[in-house]
Amino acid sequence: MSRKVQEQQVDEIIFLGTGGARYVIAKQLRATGGIFFRLGGKNILVDPGPESYLRFLTYLPKFNPEKIDMVILTHKHIDHSADVNVYLDVITEGGFKKNGFLVAPADAFGKGGVVFEYLLEFLKEIKVIKAGLDIELDGLKVKFPIRHEHRVETYGFKISHDNYSISYIVDTKFFPELIDAYRADIVILSLLKLEPSDIDHLSVSDCENIIAGIKPKVAIITHFGMTIIRKGPWNIARALRTKTGVTVLAAEDGKHYEIKKLLSSG
Ligand SMILES: [Zn+2]
């Protein structure tokens, strides 16, 4: 019976936030709650930044957060991890139920980390991300191909399911290997800043290089800082589409993106 319910669930991506960086967090100009993937009956929460849990309840009012199958932290920066402990507490019912699966880089744990140590023993499974880590989740494959170049240990990932794949390239300096490592039908990119002056994040022209190199069916930009918001993410998405010939969307807070529609949008 429950299997039937799972089969009826539409595969989708929900942006619990599309903002990033200090000023956007402080003013909550865009939500900063990360991304929620509902694929093949599995529920994967990624990078729950500030206010993520509140956004989750708002954008998915009927979904029980205890049913989150996996929580991924791509890195420990506050705009990617602030609410992680709240979720782990909810998923484990405050420690009364051994539950939950946390995947994060080594520096997210222990001294200088962001995950409360007392919560770890409540979790059913923990995996430390290393380049090349492959996780199988009932038919879903989650791979962390290479480490990003960012101030702290950071990894993007690629999810493969049946006949489609989705990759998320998160905070990183541009380097050409990103293109081969994150080839997928749907590519999500963190685009924090307009100018290439920031060596720690992708710029608009870096995103152009990646999109032109991968040629996905659709690219989605997200994680906008102030310079992107001022310029208008949709204007940037449109310009990227003109330059690459690939459909590029600017993610919107709380919006549900159905995979089937994304794949046919090219
Ligand atoms: Zn970061």
Side-chain angles (χ1 to χ4, degrees):
M1 191 64 198
S2 69
R3 174 142 188 96
K4 210 163 194 176
V5 173
Q6 279 184 8
E7 279 166 7
Q8 284 163 355
Q9 168 59 41
V10 172
D11 285 7
E12 59 178 3
I13 304 170
I14 302 112
F15 285 84
L16 304 177
T18 58
R22 185 184 56 82
Y23 192 79
V24 176
I25 296 172
K27 302 289 178 193
Q28 286 287 296
L29 296 174
R30 288 264 183 148
T32 49
I35 311 179
F36 191 50
F37 295 87
R38 306 195 72 190
L39 309 171
K42 292 287 156 190
N43 303 293
I44 303 174
L45 173 74
V46 177
D47 287 354
E51 297 292 317
S52 178
Y53 191 64
L54 179 64
R55 303 290 180 172
F56 193 101
L57 297 181
T58 310
Y59 299 149
L60 293 114
K62 289 183 188 149
F63 186 88
N64 177 359
E66 289 170 31
K67 301 232 161 72
I68 295 172
D69 296 289
M70 185 194 275
V71 177
I72 298 175
L73 292 188
T74 64
H75 65 298
K76 69 176 184 178
H77 280 155
I78 195 164
D79 47 347
H80 297 258
S81 69
D83 263 11
V84 68
N85 295 301
V86 179
Y87 281 98
L88 297 184
D89 184 82
V90 170
I91 292 167
T92 61
E93 296 178 17
F96 283 103
K97 187 174 153 197
K98 196 140 181 103
N99 194 27
F101 185 0
L102 174 66
V103 183
D107 68 355
F109 301 96
K111 195 166 180 281
V114 292
V115 183
F116 293 156
E117 220 162 302
Y118 79 90
L119 288 167
L120 297 178
E121 63 183 287
F122 305 154
L123 293 169
K124 206 153 70 180
E125 198 169 355
I126 298 167
K127 275 223 155 75
V128 175
I129 308 175
K130 296 222 163 52
L133 173 70
D134 252 322
I135 297 171
E136 177 100 33
L137 197 67
D138 287 344
L140 271 191
K141 275 198 173 129
V142 187
K143 190 181 175 73
F144 299 81
I146 48 171
R147 186 176 167 167
H148 284 359
E149 290 189 25
H150 198 47
R151 273 166 298 162
V152 297
E153 199 175 348
T154 305
Y155 299 88
F157 58 84
K158 182 172 163 177
I159 302 177
S160 307
H161 169 62
D162 287 352
N163 40 8
Y164 65 79
S165 53
I166 304 168
S167 66
Y168 182 23
I169 302 175
V170 65
D171 298 2
T172 182
K173 175 187 173 178
F174 175 80
F175 57 102
E177 290 79 7
L178 288 170
I179 294 172
D180 265 339
Y182 293 95
R183 282 187 193 282
D185 300 313
I186 300 167
V187 176
I188 304 169
L189 300 131
S190 272
L191 178 51
L192 197 85
K193 280 191 176 181
L194 215 48
E195 302 304 329
S197 59
D198 182 354
I199 54 149
D200 221 24
H201 294 96
L202 298 174
S203 66
V204 176
S205 61
D206 294 333
C207 286
E208 185 190 327
N209 280 337
I210 294 170
I211 295 167
I214 295 180
K215 288 267 177 205
K217 290 189 174 130
V218 61
I220 306 175
I221 51 171
T222 187
H223 206 51
F224 311 126
M226 214 35 227
T227 55
I228 301 287
I229 288 172
R230 262 196 220 107
K231 183 103 178 171
W234 270 107
N235 294 325
I236 294 165
R238 209 175 299 124
L240 283 169
R241 179 182 190 151
T242 307
K243 285 188 166 157
T244 62
V246 171
T247 300
V248 181
L249 307 175
E252 291 172 42
D253 288 347
K255 189 162 170 175
H256 294 233
Y257 294 84
E258 206 181 307
I259 302 298
K260 218 196 281 173
K261 285 185 188 158
L262 286 175
L263 292 173
S264 61
S265 67

